[in-house]
Amino acid sequence: MSIIVENLTKKYGSQRAVDNISFEVKTGEIVGFLGPNGAGKTTTMKIITCFMAPSDGDVKVGGNSIHNNQELIKKKIGYLPENNPLYYDMQILDYLRFVAELQGVPKSKIESRIIEMVRLTGLNDEKHKKIGELSKGYKQRVGLAQAMIHDPEILILDEPTTGLDPNQIVEIRKLIRELGREKTVILSTHILPEVEATCDRILIINKGKIVADGTSEILKKQAQGEEVLRVQILEASSKDEIINALQGLESVSLVDPIKESENSFIINSTPGVSSRKDIFKLCVNKNWILSEMTPIETKLEDIFRQLTTN
Amino acid sequence: MKSIWIIAKRELNSFFDSLIAYILLVVFLGISGFFTWLYGSDIFFVGQATLQPFFSIAYWTLFFFIPALTMRMLAEEKKSGTLELLLTKSISDWQVVLGKFTAVLMLIVIALLLTLPYYFTIASLGPIDHGAVWLGYFGMILMSMTFISIGLFASSITNNQIVSFLLSLFVGVFFLIIFDVLAGSFTGETGQFFSYLSLATHYDSISRGVVDSKDVIYFLSITFFGLLLAESILSKRNIAD
């Protein structure tokens, strides 16, 4: 089931929390929303889940518009809101039953769905406790369990891994990956490695606008432009000799010696050309030893900072 | 319909889980029993087989109790954010409001059912006007519906329970006392207008044993209006601005 967002705008007073954004999420895609606080991630999610109406624009979930088919859409979506609100005075099992009934799970299937969710989220030992007695990580699991209980075709998760310990984070990411094979998933997060680990596609949102859209590889390539290498060359007579020789190569545009490390250089290639082969050949010709050659990748962090500051 | 019941069931369970229900029942039965049987213009003082003393005290007890039950209904859900969880499920705002309304009404009906032994006891003491008793209960339920809807409205506009409680008492006082007083101090059409708005006018005529559709319509329309306001305030977030 696909989600199509068309020219979505949400104003709070004069401030535009979401500013005319459009994107499409295809069936079976896992899309990560990235963005600094207050960028409009949560607002967009609230609009898609029919909690809030947009000031302008439309969202179509599986062809149904949020303006006239809310109850149908809500049934298809499993939603974990920000801060994971729950009824603290209810027992986990009662709560899951309540949500399953509300979401219209057939009576005969309710118990088996609850058991499956409890198993999937690892709540088995705690299932008779009241939600208020649980630790933050377990509450988060209850939040995930309630979002998935009616086996929705779309999952919208607002910061699904906050409050979890590293083991749980790995488990939940794995779970999202598995679910993402059949379901459409949108998740938001501040944790950049998380998006790289779980998402097929990344949307970076800043000040209500989409500033980047693509897989992490595409984003990196776009941000980088040219190849950057870190190279260490041994057994040359002098540093200057190496620099001069490297500068002489056609595919090298800039050589920058690293101060802290002897005979190490950062080499920028000419845009569009790789200089790796030439450097290697040069070393062979001159009888130098090439002891290190590492491509330096732009990290997602750098892209994020570049796009969302200023 | 089913969703309304699911919500009502959850609310009722939470009443009984959190002692609220037991406290309400014990205090309600205690106060109304005390004034019906032991103190003031009680049964023995009046010397008639009538449930009138009970109804006049229950009238005031419910006036204070219902806001205490409704105050958290929407206010707390707004404060803790669970409202978002609820309203993104496959239900409408109306179903949420009606579910909560049903839950409180059911608790009040349970409380009133538990006072039936008063009725049986008094009936065995002397000749009692059975019609007046049943109409008295009927009037109680209509009045409770009115107060519940006012309480839900008050709970929908704030996320502070105390504000919600005080506000519903404030609105309630108008219907219970102030319109009545105004009706007395004005004559002619203005007086009649306020007399029509006053809850006491309609409640008295029902408890005297006269059911006029006008009175029933009065209670039902205030109930509907209160629920409508609560629902529109809930769905305000969902209207494009």
Side-chain angles (χ1 to χ4, degrees):
Chain A
M1 188 157 280
S2 65
I3 303 171
I4 302 167
V5 174
E6 288 166 349
N7 306 99
L8 201 67
T9 301
K10 176 76 191 176
K11 287 180 238 166
Y12 292 116
S14 63
Q15 194 200 359
R16 282 163 182 267
V18 175
D19 193 359
N20 198 21
I21 64 173
S22 302
F23 62 91
E24 191 181 337
V25 184
K26 293 188 198 75
T27 313
E29 212 174 13
I30 306 179
V31 172
F33 275 10
L34 272 180
N37 295 322
K41 299 174 299 228
T42 298
T43 307
T44 310
M45 288 184 159
K46 281 182 176 173
I47 294 171
I48 298 174
T49 53
C50 303
F51 180 66
M52 234 184 224
S55 308
D56 204 4
D58 195 3
V59 178
K60 290 204 178 80
V61 178
N64 299 303
S65 161
I66 53 162
H67 292 301
N68 39 36
N69 270 319
Q70 294 207 346
E71 274 176 57
L72 198 71
I73 293 176
K74 287 198 261 185
K75 202 165 252 178
K76 307 267 185 217
I77 292 180
Y79 178 39
L80 173 71
E82 196 186 21
N83 304 327
N84 189 23
L86 296 165
Y87 293 114
Y88 285 0
D89 56 348
M90 282 182 101
Q91 278 187 16
I92 295 177
L93 291 180
D94 291 341
Y95 178 62
L96 292 179
R97 191 168 299 118
F98 169 67
V99 176
E101 284 176 353
L102 274 185
Q103 292 287 39
V105 179
K107 234 183 188 144
S108 55
K109 280 194 187 154
I110 288 182
E111 290 309 314
S112 63
R113 284 300 298 168
I114 292 175
I115 293 168
E116 199 186 332
M117 283 303 116
V118 165
R119 190 189 52 78
L120 204 60
T121 51
L123 284 165
N124 205 33
D125 296 335
E126 321 281 327
K127 64 185 172 192
H128 294 293
K129 282 194 184 163
K130 281 193 173 181
I131 294 173
E133 294 166 1
L134 299 172
S135 70
K136 197 175 177 200
Y138 277 108
K139 281 182 190 142
Q140 194 71 16
R141 294 171 185 220
V142 178
L144 282 166
Q146 65 84 24
M148 300 183 296
I149 189 123
H150 56 301
D151 199 18
E153 289 172 65
I154 295 169
L155 275 175
I156 295 187
L157 310 171
D158 205 345
E159 301 187 11
T161 54
T162 43
L164 300 179
D165 68 44
N167 294 335
Q168 294 170 337
I169 289 179
V170 172
E171 278 172 43
I172 294 296
R173 283 183 195 161
K174 211 177 100 201
L175 183 67
I176 293 172
R177 269 254 151 241
E178 276 166 28
L179 290 168
R181 282 200 209 115
E182 303 139 36
K183 298 183 198 306
T184 311
V185 183
I186 297 182
L187 61 89
S188 81
T189 179
H190 296 296
I191 310 164
L192 297 161
E194 181 159 298
V195 206
E196 280 190 291
T198 49
C199 299
D200 302 324
R201 207 173 114 205
I202 300 170
L203 284 176
I204 301 183
I205 300 180
N206 189 35
K207 291 179 185 157
K209 286 194 163 83
I210 294 179
V211 289
D213 179 357
T215 63
S216 62
E217 284 76 31
I218 290 176
L219 291 186
K220 281 176 192 168
K221 221 168 249 169
Q222 279 175 355
Q224 194 144 19
E226 58 192 46
E227 188 186 62
V228 182
L229 299 169
R230 183 193 157 100
V231 170
Q232 190 178 37
I233 295 170
L234 302 176
E235 298 196 2
S237 50
S238 78
K239 213 172 187 175
D240 290 335
E241 192 194 349
I242 303 177
I243 294 176
N244 287 334
L246 286 171
Q247 286 285 27
L249 292 173
E250 228 172 73
S251 55
V252 172
S253 69
L254 188 74
V255 181
D256 189 15
I258 299 174
K259 279 176 195 131
E260 309 88 70
S261 165
E262 193 88 357
N263 293 333
S264 288
F265 310 90
I266 299 285
I267 297 171
N268 288 33
S269 311
T270 318
V273 189
S274 171
S275 59
R276 288 188 228 190
K277 265 187 198 167
D278 295 339
I279 295 171
F280 180 76
K281 279 182 187 152
L282 179 79
C283 293
V284 173
N285 285 340
K286 302 238 173 185
N287 255 339
W288 294 338
I289 293 174
L290 183 61
S291 67
E292 185 193 345
M293 170 141 50
T294 327
I296 298 175
E297 281 191 0
T298 316
K299 286 193 222 110
L300 203 52
E301 273 89 345
D302 302 328
I303 304 172
F304 181 80
R305 284 188 56 81
Q306 195 185 327
L307 289 170
T308 57
T309 47
N310 74 56
Chain B
M1 209 47 210
K2 209 179 136 214
S3 307
I4 297 175
W5 171 237
I6 295 166
I7 296 199
K9 204 169 61 179
R10 197 202 79 81
E11 292 291 341
L12 262 184
N13 281 336
S14 104
F15 280 144
F16 282 97
D17 280 347
S18 64
L19 288 178
I20 296 178
Y22 302 103
I23 295 173
L24 170 99
L25 293 176
V26 169
V27 176
F28 176 72
L29 292 178
I31 293 182
S32 62
F34 180 69
F35 286 102
T36 308
W37 299 100
L38 299 172
Y39 185 77
S41 53
D42 62 77
I43 299 281
F44 303 109
F45 179 81
V46 177
Q48 277 179 350
T50 168
L51 225 53
Q52 213 52 54
F54 163 70
F55 287 132
S56 45
I57 189 67
Y59 183 78
W60 284 102
T61 332
L62 289 178
F63 170 68
F64 285 104
F65 271 136
I66 289 174
L69 290 173
T70 54
M71 66 178 188
R72 50 177 269 286
M73 286 270 156
L74 294 162
E76 195 183 67
E77 299 239 23
K78 279 165 90 170
K79 192 171 189 174
S80 67
T82 45
L83 193 66
E84 183 174 351
L85 206 65
L86 202 56
L87 293 175
T88 49
K89 302 288 175 251
S90 164
I91 46 172
S92 66
D93 297 2
W94 261 118
Q95 286 167 326
V96 172
V97 172
L98 287 177
K100 288 176 183 280
F101 175 80
T102 313
V104 184
L105 187 62
M106 283 180 67
L107 189 61
I108 299 296
V109 169
I110 292 171
L112 289 174
L113 283 178
L114 290 174
T115 65
L116 282 180
Y118 298 177
Y119 167 44
F120 299 134
T121 317
I122 293 171
S124 70
L125 289 175
I128 190 168
D129 183 351
H130 294 285
V133 172
W134 290 116
L135 279 179
Y137 276 113
F138 180 60
M140 282 276 109
I141 289 172
L142 284 178
M143 193 198 73
S144 304
M145 287 165 70
T146 313
F147 285 146
I148 297 167
S149 75
I150 292 172
L152 283 178
F153 158 67
S155 187
S156 72
I157 62 174
T158 170
N159 51 21
N160 184 319
Q161 299 189 23
I162 307 293
V163 172
S164 154
F165 178 74
L166 294 177
L167 188 75
S168 50
L169 281 187
F170 180 71
V171 176
V173 157
F174 271 86
F175 286 102
L176 219 55
I177 303 172
I178 295 182
F179 289 144
D180 201 30
V181 173
L182 288 175
S185 48
F186 286 98
T187 50
E189 277 185 16
T190 328
Q192 263 174 5
F193 174 69
F194 282 122
S195 163
Y196 181 77
L197 281 181
S198 165
L199 203 140
T201 320
H202 301 275
Y203 180 74
D204 286 347
S205 78
I206 288 183
S207 68
R208 255 188 278 115
V210 189
V211 191
D212 192 337
S213 57
K214 204 172 71 184
D215 302 321
V216 178
I217 288 169
Y218 167 84
F219 285 110
L220 293 183
S221 48
I222 296 183
T223 307
F224 175 73
F225 192 62
L227 293 178
L228 182 71
L229 279 178
E231 194 269 347
S232 357
I233 286 165
L234 269 196
S235 55
K236 206 173 66 184
R237 70 187 154 75
N238 214 338
I239 292 168
D241 44 12

